[in-house]
Amino acid sequence: MTKEKEKPNYSILAEIYDRVMHDVNYVAWTDYIDEIILEHHPYAEDILELACGTGTMALSMEEFGTYNITATDGSAEMVKKAQEKADRIGSDVQFKTVNFLDIDLDQTFDVVYMVFDSLNYLHSKEDIIRLHEQVHKVLNPGGIFIYDFTTPRNSVKAIRYLNNEASIIDNQYRYFRKSLYDAENQIHTNRFEIEQFEGSEKNVLERFTEEHHQKIYSFEEIRPIIKETDFSILKAYDGFELKPAHTRSLRITMVLQ
Ligand SMILES: C[S@@+](CC[C@H](N)C(=O)[O-])C[C@H]1O[C@@H](n2cnc3c(N)ncnc32)[C@H](O)[C@@H]1O
């Protein structure tokens, strides 16, 4: 019997992350972030990405040819994957392992951005305020901070299609994702069970689990928290649009200055 190992978030998932996210349109997402930058800070050059994961977005941003990009994530395993991808294509993006609650970089930036629910990994108002303080420290005067978060409405909808998703990857990994949403406490849980096998699927070498808990926020909950920071809200956009967020928004993209 292969023993199941509980792993820190994204340590094992890093191996299969790009395949699990295969249906995410990062090119469209990159275009959207670029559009926001052009709208709110058109002469931006130095860009910092937080929670960059395996670097897909940063590498896509680099293709515009107008930005100097530093991309960071708290998971060393995710950053390693990003660096491997960067090395393969000869990218100049600087990848670093950085906890966004403790940003220690000797450079400042015109834009800091963070996408794909990464804010939802923060479970307390204090941590959200701390993130804003850390970003404020590394922003140039007039710089902007862009990030998105998902709303309770999104979690209720997502449960319908994310639950019990299973797949085999590269004839080497099998994963099973179970999603739960605790509406009362606004906690969205994704539990990944990952098996590494060799040859036949029956020959399981190791079994891992990762359980991700995200706190889900409405705009009404985030807005007063931002008021306690040194930022002001330039825009709160609905989803991937340049239209205002509203009470039915599934994902809200904030632009702060
Ligand atoms: C849903 S993934 C998004 C990754 C990437 N932005 C993307 O679009 O694929 C969330 C990311 O947040 C990172 N993360 C969570 N907490 C973090 C922290 N305190 N500091 C830095 N990164 C963190 C995780 O390691 C993970 O890569």
Side-chain angles (χ1 to χ4, degrees):
M1 182 76 182
T2 315
K3 209 169 161 282
E4 197 165 287
K5 293 182 184 162
E6 189 89 30
K7 286 288 191 176
N9 281 356
Y10 292 101
S11 57
I12 291 297
L13 196 57
E15 281 303 323
I16 58 169
Y17 184 81
D18 286 351
R19 297 292 296 276
V20 174
M21 298 301 160
H22 68 277
D23 56 351
V24 176
N25 189 341
Y26 282 103
V27 173
W29 210 328
T30 307
D31 286 345
Y32 179 57
I33 296 296
D34 185 52
E35 249 185 292
I36 292 177
I37 295 173
L38 291 176
E39 176 78 21
H40 296 283
H41 201 348
Y43 299 108
E45 285 181 357
D46 296 324
I47 308 270
L48 172 65
E49 180 171 352
L50 302 176
C52 71
T54 55
T56 308
M57 189 99 175
L59 296 174
S60 188
M61 283 292 278
E62 188 180 34
E63 288 181 22
F64 292 117
T66 47
Y67 302 125
N68 309 313
I69 304 166
T70 301
T72 63
D73 195 275
S75 157
E77 291 85 355
M78 294 291 263
V79 173
K80 183 166 170 268
K81 284 281 155 197
Q83 189 63 61
E84 284 167 11
K85 282 156 66 175
D87 291 345
R88 279 203 291 276
I89 59 170
S91 161
D92 289 328
V93 173
Q94 298 288 310
F95 284 103
K96 295 184 174 149
T97 304
V98 174
N99 176 352
F100 56 49
L101 293 179
D102 189 12
I103 302 174
D104 184 16
L105 295 170
D106 51 14
Q107 198 196 334
T108 54
F109 302 88
D110 302 316
V111 175
V112 177
Y113 75 89
M114 176 168 100
V115 297
F116 209 171
D117 324 342
S118 301
L119 181 100
N120 295 99
Y121 278 91
L122 298 179
H123 285 244
S124 68
K125 173 179 134 181
E126 290 69 29
D127 276 351
I128 296 179
I129 291 175
R130 185 175 167 92
L131 165 73
H132 286 74
E133 285 168 358
Q134 293 293 303
V135 170
H136 199 265
K137 225 173 53 176
V138 293
L139 264 183
N140 290 328
I144 57 172
F145 180 25
I146 306 166
Y147 61 85
D148 65 73
F149 62 92
T150 56
T151 64
R153 196 175 148 75
N154 182 65
S155 280
V156 170
K157 275 190 103 171
I159 284 301
R160 285 189 223 137
Y161 61 86
L162 282 182
N163 214 358
N164 300 337
E165 178 186 274
S167 193
I168 289 183
I169 292 174
D170 293 338
N171 236 2
Q172 201 186 355
Y173 290 98
R174 179 172 40 208
Y175 82 90
F176 180 75
R177 164 161 59 184
K178 192 169 168 57
S179 296
L180 302 167
Y181 182 53
D182 169 355
E184 196 186 325
N185 296 305
Q186 295 176 218
I187 302 291
H188 191 126
T189 300
N190 278 302
R191 181 181 166 84
F192 292 89
E193 291 169 6
I194 304 169
E195 286 177 352
Q196 190 177 13
F197 61 88
E198 194 174 55
S200 140
E201 277 174 59
K202 286 188 191 132
N203 187 18
V204 176
L205 302 176
E206 287 200 270
R207 272 198 185 94
F208 308 97
T209 58
E210 287 191 20
E211 204 163 274
H212 299 201
H213 301 283
Q214 287 174 289
K215 173 89 179 163
I216 307 302
Y217 299 99
S218 66
F219 184 40
E220 290 67 35
E221 288 163 330
I222 289 290
R223 195 175 15 204
I225 300 179
I226 295 172
K227 279 224 165 99
E228 292 190 40
T229 73
D230 288 330
F231 284 95
S232 52
I233 300 175
L234 290 182
K235 287 284 178 205
Y237 289 123
D238 174 38
F240 299 100
E241 306 280 336
L242 290 180
K243 292 181 189 146
H246 48 79
T247 51
R248 293 167 68 83
S249 293
L250 302 176
R251 176 182 302 280
I252 298 178
T253 300
M254 304 298 301
V255 187
L256 311 184
Q257 193 164 42

